[in-house]
Amino acid sequence: MINRRLVCISGFSQSMAKPNGIEKVWLGLRAHESPRCRVSYKEWDTPWNDFAEHIIRTGPTNPADMDICVFAYSWGCGHGALTLLEELKHRGFKVRAA
C-alpha cells in the first residue's frame, strides 16, 4: 500500500522530452521514495481521472491515512493540479498541500 504521494506536474511548454524545473523538483523529491511513498512526474494534460483511480486503488482504504502533496508549475497548477484535486475530492480524498 502506498500511503504517501508526492506528485510533480509540469507546465504547458514543459514535457518529459527536455529538462525543466519540475523535473529538477521531481529528482530532488525522489530521495523520499520508499515502498510506502511514491514520487510521480506527470504532464499537465495527464488523464487525471485515471491517475486518481490509480492513487486510490494502490493506497489505503481510509482517506485519513493518505498523505498527498502536489508540486506544479503554470498549466500544471491551473489545469493539472486543480483537476487532480477535484478528482480526488470526488472520491473522498484530500490533498494536504499544493
Side-chain angles (χ1 to χ4, degrees):
M1 166 182 25
I2 301 167
N3 66 337
R4 186 167 194 219
R5 291 281 183 164
L6 306 176
V7 182
C8 299
I9 307 173
S10 63
F12 178 75
S13 63
Q14 298 175 325
S15 75
M16 292 179 157
K18 296 181 181 177
N20 60 66
I22 286 295
E23 182 179 72
K24 287 181 185 178
V25 171
W26 172 74
L27 286 168
L29 289 171
R30 291 195 64 230
H32 298 281
E33 279 208 340
S34 72
R36 296 178 64 87
C37 177
R38 174 73 55 203
V39 182
S40 302
Y41 178 114
K42 299 291 182 183
E43 293 183 347
W44 69 273
D45 59 349
T46 292
W48 296 110
N49 57 334
D50 293 349
F51 187 58
E53 283 295 325
H54 173 73
I55 289 173
I56 304 309
R57 187 176 60 255
T58 58
T61 55
N62 182 356
D65 295 334
M66 176 65 89
D67 180 25
I68 305 169
C69 297
V70 176
F71 305 83
Y73 173 74
S74 183
W75 283 43
C77 297
H79 175 74
L82 292 178
T83 305
L84 177 59
L85 271 63
E86 260 319 295
E87 292 289 342
L88 291 168
K89 181 180 175 183
H90 176 71
R91 292 162 174 83
F93 286 75
K94 294 181 182 178
V95 170
R96 178 172 57 91

